[in-house]
Amino acid sequence: MSSRRGGLGRGLSSTLIPTGEQASASPYREIPVNQIRPNPSQPRSHHDEQTLRGLARSIIEVGLLQPVVVQETDDGYTLISGERRWRAAQLAGLQSIPAMLRQADETGALTQALIENLQREDLTPLEEASAYRELVNQHGLTQQEVAHRVGKGRATVANSIRLLRLPPPIRDLLETAQLTAGHARALLSVSDPKYATHIAKRAVAEGWTVRQIEAAVDARAPRKRTSRGARTPRPAEIVELETRLTDQLGLPVSISYGNQKGSVKVRFKSIDDLQRVFAKLIAP
């Protein structure tokens, strides 16, 4: 393939990639691709080869339209964001690519890599969950801090991390997109991994909806006793609505329902939380 210099288009490249005395003062550089290493904390573990080849063809035709972001190390550079562009540039035969140098600590680099991937291409649910867990376990952030940095609700981050508790066979179905994250979340309350796996495989084979999985889970779950001693399951629709409201508001939501009436309870820890709920409720 061509070894032409990749850039940001001729005019933009000459503006952003300075030479001579200007180079030392600019955060932009033209860096050999073989001096760049992938970020070890990169959340994405799989890159679609067909997508990379398509991006490589685009780079050959029009150049690299956006620089990668790197951090200088003792033996070269580490990618903060732009791994797909870097890999595609290699497929396109480029010897060097435009890059922006950025000073970042390890936590900042991982956070930026995660945000870049969430904005530009879909991570699998388990890749996203693993990245959240690493920010919490390895870098000492709270789930609320993670949520703030990536622009998600705290409950969304918490529910994502919980997916990593699922039995390996269910995680495999989720990773291969045979189950959605919604289907998988419905299985989190099942304490018996064999039964959870049985439900998951049956859901895939028969094309179940999330509600059908919730109904199967509820059929196995302990029932709450009424004043007369009878056991009544919670309607699957109510459980689903609780989950959706929790994700939407970013706060724990519980719904009490019976005899065609009920109440919705939203738990908050600060006035800021309450104001966010109010803003969502009155939004047009």
Side-chain angles (χ1 to χ4, degrees):
M1 291 187 178
S2 169
S3 61
R4 64 184 284 262
R5 170 178 172 171
L8 309 178
R10 287 183 176 272
L12 198 55
S13 179
S14 62
T15 301
L16 294 182
I17 312 297
T19 58
E21 296 180 356
Q22 293 180 338
S24 60
S26 171
Y28 294 95
R29 298 286 189 278
E30 187 83 11
I31 296 176
V33 293
N34 61 7
Q35 292 185 17
I36 299 175
R37 300 290 179 268
N39 188 339
S41 296
Q42 165 63 257
R44 176 165 291 283
S45 59
H46 173 73
H47 295 272
D48 182 75
E49 288 298 323
Q50 184 175 354
T51 301
L52 286 178
R53 287 194 294 270
L55 182 55
R57 288 193 296 270
S58 173
I59 290 173
I60 291 172
E61 293 297 324
V62 300
L64 192 62
L65 298 180
Q66 184 176 11
V68 300
V69 181
V70 300
Q71 183 179 7
E72 192 167 10
T73 61
D74 293 337
D75 58 350
Y77 302 86
T78 296
L79 276 168
I80 295 178
S81 66
E83 184 168 340
R84 287 179 66 250
R85 279 166 273 153
W86 172 66
R87 291 182 181 275
Q90 293 177 81
L91 288 177
L94 300 190
Q95 300 302 309
S96 63
I97 57 175
M100 183 175 72
L101 297 181
R102 178 165 296 178
Q103 299 297 321
D105 58 26
E106 187 177 359
T107 298
L110 174 58
T111 303
Q112 183 169 340
L114 175 60
I115 293 172
E116 196 263 351
N117 276 275
L118 288 171
Q119 291 175 338
R120 301 186 187 284
E121 57 178 317
D122 291 333
L123 293 172
T124 69
L126 292 180
E127 287 172 340
E128 184 176 347
S130 295
Y132 291 149
R133 184 176 64 179
E134 184 168 347
L135 283 171
V136 172
N137 292 347
Q138 302 300 323
H139 304 298
L141 298 182
T142 66
Q143 290 184 2
Q144 184 62 54
E145 289 171 333
V146 173
H148 176 73
R149 294 195 183 197
V150 300
K152 304 274 188 176
R154 188 206 62 79
T156 300
V157 172
N159 287 334
S160 177
I161 294 175
R162 290 176 67 208
L163 294 176
L164 298 172
R165 303 177 188 172
L166 291 167
I170 300 179
R171 295 203 302 268
D172 289 343
L173 294 173
L174 182 59
E175 186 68 20
T176 55
Q178 296 180 70
L179 282 179
T180 68
H183 287 90
R185 282 195 298 268
L187 294 164
L188 286 168
S189 62
V190 182
S191 58
D192 182 352
K194 291 184 178 179
Y195 183 64
T197 301
H198 167 73
I199 294 177
K201 290 182 177 179
R202 186 175 174 186
V204 170
E206 300 179 14
W208 283 8
T209 65
V210 173
R211 291 185 181 183
Q212 286 175 299
I213 290 182
E214 289 171 343
V217 169
D218 191 68
R220 183 75 170 252
R223 305 291 189 261
K224 293 183 178 180
R225 293 184 179 273
T226 65
S227 58
R228 296 181 180 180
R231 294 182 175 184
T232 57
R234 297 188 71 207
E237 295 87 347
I238 298 300
V239 175
E240 181 182 3
L241 286 172
E242 273 188 353
T243 301
R244 292 173 61 185
L245 282 172
T246 295
D247 288 345
Q248 180 68 25
L249 298 178
L251 294 168
V253 175
S254 58
I255 299 176
S256 299
Y257 176 80
N259 297 323
Q260 302 299 314
K261 59 184 179 181
S263 62
V264 178
K265 182 178 181 180
V266 181
R267 293 185 294 277
F268 60 90
K269 295 183 179 179
S270 68
I271 294 298
D272 287 342
D273 285 345
L274 181 59
Q275 288 177 330
R276 284 194 296 103
V277 172
F278 179 74
K280 287 180 178 293
L281 291 176
I282 64 173

